[in-house]
Amino acid sequence: MSMNTVLLAFGPKDEQRTDELLDTATSIVDPDGTVVLLHAFGRERYDEISTKLNIDDDSEITPDDVARRTRPVREMADRLDRVGVDYVVRGALGEASDTILRESKTEDADLVVVGGRSRSATGKALFGSTAQKVLFEADCPVTFVKEQSEATKKAAAPA
């Protein structure tokens, strides 16, 4: 199956797993394909970032512009540049799962990559509500990247 457009969706809870998300997206996307870096913002987080970036409420700055200026996006874009993978940056406001589903259609994504974590030790929920909704409702395949525990990260680190 051709993976020409891979939508890598992330938000503030994914900042610790950007390496895993990028590794997954770059290993799947076709050599001449594109990774869409989608930063999904809730209104409160968007306003917080806009304030830190001194963006006036009346400016014509778009969510895409705000996403490009965030540290996680800049770091991921730098890494994609280094490995020679084409990408575009998208920012979107709204509830994360709805935003991801909408953008996956808009971008005509062949695959969506989302992150998440186990919700409880008792296993009452395997995926977070955002990841779960995307997994069940996306029109394309979805790859779920589970957050690694600190023990797993230490075990995988070179000595």
Side-chain angles (χ1 to χ4, degrees), residues 148 150-159:
Q148 291 183 358
E150 287 303 314
T152 303
K153 288 179 185 178
K154 287 179 185 178

Side-chain angles (χ1 to χ4, degrees), residues 25-83:
T26 57
S27 70
I28 294 171
V29 70
D30 291 342
D32 59 344
T34 302
V35 173
V36 178
L37 297 173
L38 173 63
H39 196 312
F41 298 104
R43 172 49 72 180
E44 188 175 307
R45 179 72 176 144
Y46 182 81
D47 290 343
E48 178 185 314
I49 292 169
S50 295
T51 300
K52 286 182 182 178
L53 295 173
N54 295 317
I55 296 172
D56 188 300
D57 287 341
D58 296 326
S59 72
E60 293 184 23
I61 303 260
T62 67
D64 291 352
D65 298 324
V66 172
R68 282 186 203 96
R69 294 174 64 181
T70 64
R71 182 186 47 78
V73 171
R74 288 192 321 267
E75 290 173 359
M76 287 191 280
D78 287 345
R79 184 166 163 202
L80 290 170
D81 282 334
R82 284 194 306 272
V83 297

